Amino acid sequence: MSTNTESMQVARGFSLRSPHLLALVPLAIGLAVLYGPTLYTLLTGIWSTDEQAHGPIVLALSCWLLYRKWQEMLAASAQSGGSAWGWVVVVFALLLYVLGRSQDISLFEVGSVIWLLAGLLLLLRGGKALKAMWFPLFFMLFMLPLPGPFVDALTLPMKTAVSYVAEHVLFWVGYPIARTGVMLQIGQYSLLVADACAGLHTLFTLEALGLLYLNVVRHDSTFRNIALALLIVPISFTANVIRVMALTLITYHLGDAAGQGFLHGFAGMVLFASALMLIIGVDSLLRFGAPDSEHKPPLNPTTGSPA
């Protein structure tokens, strides 16, 4: 009871007129000035491409997760002060930002915001605050632009595997399809399986979706959480196969213009819808083997923590 009372006092004390909130205004302005140009560059650059289109979505979800965990973080760090080690992390983050910005290394420039937020939390609220916010900060990793050579090295085997499975499934159900590498030939049409359809970025996006689902549902069963986390990879692969087959069938039945037009984007929605349904379906199956505790306390819809 005392813990709940303390949490309510902290929440009430952090009102719009709270000096704690006013103290964050200069930090918010500083972050906006520092990362405003970076955000503009991303939105008009790599985030506007099909391969990196998940970046703004991950950023928006990360901000929501930070908001969702905010009261829990305040309650956890109510009795602890800041740590001077936060200065070390802040200085490292700023050096990383300067290096990334000056040398046009997007991975360093964008990644520095994660270190900077972690350092500010450690500096202002201490280690307990950082521990409470670990998942939103970890989730931000999925918005980082990965180095091209690394992506290319992993994308080709993934595209080949997706093309192989899609070809065999469609051939098994009676479609006239053949494959050469990542090129599918169905009827009179040739389709190249692109990075945006079955590449590493798509896998990263689906991994982020799966981890977000795990964080929101928060099962008590350790086995259930670990099993679902491990199964996210084959689920993501299966969703990619479904998308490629959907595009192939759209092209075969409706023509190349349909396959490359609006229905191409619709296939992207099919990808995420199928991935989410597979995740929920597998999670439902795991429930029978490892059910959650019947006495699990209800979650606070605002903080996501037990009420």
Side-chain angles (χ1 to χ4, degrees):
M1 178 66 69
S2 61
T3 302
N4 292 336
T5 303
E6 180 182 319
S7 301
M8 293 174 61
Q9 291 174 347
V10 171
R12 286 197 297 264
F14 202 76
S15 63
L16 292 177
R17 298 182 179 180
S18 170
H20 298 289
L21 184 59
L22 294 177
L24 294 178
V25 172
L27 291 177
I29 295 175
L31 288 172
V33 171
L34 195 63
Y35 289 100
T38 301
L39 184 60
Y40 176 80
T41 302
L42 290 170
L43 290 173
T44 57
I46 57 176
W47 280 3
S48 62
T49 63
D50 290 339
E51 292 81 2
Q52 297 277 357
H54 64 278
I57 300 174
V58 173
L59 176 60
L61 288 173
S62 299
C63 293
W64 175 74
L65 288 169
L66 288 170
Y67 168 77
R68 185 171 179 263
K69 289 286 188 178
W70 191 258
Q71 297 298 341
E72 180 182 339
M73 180 273 293
L74 291 177
S77 60
Q79 302 299 324
S80 60
S83 171
W85 285 104
W87 284 113
V88 178
V89 183
V90 168
V91 170
F92 172 76
L94 293 176
L95 291 175
L96 197 64
Y97 173 82
V98 171
L99 178 62
R101 187 71 179 174
S102 61
Q103 303 302 315
D104 197 22
I105 306 176
S106 299
L107 180 63
F108 290 176
E109 183 181 356
V110 180
S112 65
V113 70
I114 303 175
W115 289 98
L116 186 56
L117 292 176
L120 291 174
L121 282 171
L122 190 59
L123 182 64
L124 298 176
R125 305 291 299 188
K128 292 183 178 180
L130 183 59
K131 181 179 179 180
M133 287 291 194
W134 78 268
F135 183 77
L137 295 177
F138 170 78
F139 194 75
M140 287 184 179
L141 292 174
F142 290 98
M143 72 178 183
L144 298 183
L146 299 175
F150 173 76
V151 173
D152 294 339
L154 294 181
T155 293
L156 182 58
M158 290 174 56
K159 292 194 299 182
T160 303
V162 168
S163 304
Y164 176 85
V165 175
E167 176 211 5
H168 279 72
V169 171
L170 291 178
F171 182 80
W172 180 73
V173 296
Y175 281 94
I177 187 171
R179 179 183 62 89
T180 303
V182 295
M183 181 73 73
L184 294 175
Q185 180 75 37
I186 182 167
Q188 59 182 333
Y189 302 105
S190 296
L191 296 91
L192 176 66
V193 179
D195 293 353
C197 294
L200 184 62
H201 296 301
T202 305
L203 180 62
F204 258 52
T205 306
L206 297 178
E207 286 287 328
L209 177 66
L211 292 176
L212 177 65
Y213 175 84
L214 276 176
N215 183 259
V216 170
V217 298
R218 299 184 65 170
H219 296 307
D220 283 345
S221 170
T222 302
F223 167 78
R224 190 173 174 183
N225 286 324
I226 294 176
L228 188 58
L230 294 176
L231 288 172
I232 288 174
V233 174
I235 287 173
S236 302
F237 180 84
T238 304
N240 272 312
V241 172
I242 293 174
R243 180 185 187 183
V244 170
M245 289 194 302
L247 281 173
T248 303
L249 293 176
I250 288 171
T251 302
Y252 180 71
H253 289 287
L254 301 178
D256 187 64
Q260 298 300 321
F262 168 77
L263 292 180
H264 187 279
F266 176 76
M269 292 187 286
V270 170
L271 169 72
F272 292 105
S274 58
L276 184 59
M277 288 188 293
L278 285 171
I279 290 171
I280 295 174
V282 171
D283 188 32
S284 300
L285 292 176
L286 291 174
R287 180 179 59 188
F288 295 103
D292 285 341
S293 172
E294 296 181 358
H295 304 288
K296 181 178 179 179
L299 297 181
N300 188 309
T302 302
T303 64
S305 59

